[in-house]
Amino acid sequence: DIQMTQSPSTLSASVGDRVTITCRASQNIGNWLDWYQQKPGKAPKLLIYEASVLESGVPSRFSGSGSGTEFTLTISSLQPDDFATYYCQQENSYPWTFGQGTKVEIK
Amino acid sequence: QVQLVQSGAEVKKPGASVKVSCKASGYTFTDYYLHWVRQAPGQGLQWVGWINPNSGGTNSAQKFQGRVTMTRDTSITTAYMELSGLKSDDTAIYYCARDRLASAGTGSFAYWGQGTLVTVSS
């Protein structure tokens, strides 16, 4: 199975900060990488697919980049609604696997 | 609008089976793969498998093969996931999720159900 490793596990930030989350794959996954946001008690929400394509309706402050084994999710200016846990997920090969999550907390 | 509405919480004993339903609306049911993803309490996400509602074809993670059965009833636009031989570490929220693209199992989950908590306890 492809292992997905996110860093950091927890991130403390303030409203307006630029935030970057990193996701590393244990082998080359091309650009087959998605990012999800999950709030407590809610289902995940797709933010970005194929590493850099913004899902419809997702604010433009979210962006994704990377290919191969290293990827980043960037929030250009953190908003109150963005405090949540973020997961990366590879869809390159079965079984599709997720990172362990990065919790973005209020500083 | 796309909606996925799942069945309610379940409590099962070890060794039993559980069947979770996912009622779809707001789109053509047979056009999009439906996936199952689970999340143990306080833990991350784990893909269980998918069903192609058009053909009934399925695929699941090897970890669940032999224990998971995914079916659908197109007449009521509902998908089902049955997990047998339950163990305590199967305790989790089970989500159904619709694929992002029509006629493809891309592995991108664009719409999610509200989740069904399955608790396995003696």
Side-chain angles (χ1 to χ4, degrees):
Chain A
D1 298 2
I2 297 175
Q3 307 301 315
M4 307 300 293
T5 304
Q6 292 181 231
S7 60
S9 295
T10 306
L11 187 161
S12 296
S14 302
V15 172
D17 284 353
R18 181 181 181 87
V19 166
T20 298
I21 298 168
T22 297
C23 177
R24 289 185 172 87
S26 62
Q27 62 191 72
N28 189 339
I29 60 170
N31 69 338
W32 298 110
L33 189 284
D34 302 333
W35 289 98
Y36 296 85
Q37 176 194 68
Q38 187 178 33
K39 296 181 180 178
K42 299 294 187 182
K45 173 186 174 182
L46 178 65
L47 298 176
I48 287 169
Y49 60 92
E50 293 175 12
S52 63
V53 182
L54 206 63
E55 173 70 342
S56 175
V58 174
S60 59
R61 63 181 179 272
F62 291 92
S63 64
S65 64
S67 66
T69 62
E70 188 152 338
F71 303 85
T72 58
L73 172 71
T74 300
I75 309 172
S76 61
S77 177
L78 198 65
Q79 299 302 301
D81 191 48
D82 301 337
F83 292 98
T85 299
Y86 293 84
Y87 293 94
C88 62
Q89 177 234 330
Q90 65 84 16
E91 49 164 310
N92 179 72
S93 59
Y94 293 120
W96 298 320
T97 48
F98 293 83
Q100 82 280 12
T102 295
K103 185 175 183 179
V104 177
E105 297 181 328
I106 300 172
K107 190 172 185 178
Chain B
Q1 73 283 20
V2 175
Q3 277 197 306
L4 300 172
V5 178
Q6 298 183 224
S7 49
E10 302 264 13
V11 179
K12 296 292 183 181
K13 294 195 182 303
S17 297
V18 68
K19 190 171 186 177
V20 179
S21 68
C22 173
K23 165 74 174 173
S25 61
Y27 70 98
T28 302
F29 179 67
T30 50
D31 281 354
Y32 293 84
Y33 284 42
L34 276 171
H35 305 268
W36 293 91
V37 176
R38 77 178 188 180
Q39 186 170 37
Q43 302 300 309
L45 300 160
Q46 184 174 37
W47 175 71
V48 175
W50 57 247
I51 183 166
N52 177 346
N54 186 42
S55 66
T58 63
N59 188 18
S60 61
Q62 189 167 14
K63 172 185 174 71
F64 301 102
Q65 285 176 8
R67 285 208 302 143
V68 68
T69 304
M70 291 170 286
T71 57
R72 90 294 190 214
D73 185 337
T74 57
S75 68
I76 56 171
T77 65
T78 299
Y80 304 91
M81 185 219 55
E82 183 170 22
L83 190 63
S84 62
L86 289 170
K87 300 168 280 188
S88 58
D89 63 3
D90 289 318
T91 294
I93 297 172
Y94 289 77
Y95 293 101
C96 63
R98 199 204 78 174
D99 204 284
R100 180 177 57 81
L101 276 184
S103 304
T106 66
S108 276
F109 314 128
Y111 296 91
W112 294 65
Q114 83 276 19
T116 297
L117 176 61
V118 175
T119 303
V120 183
S121 174
S122 55

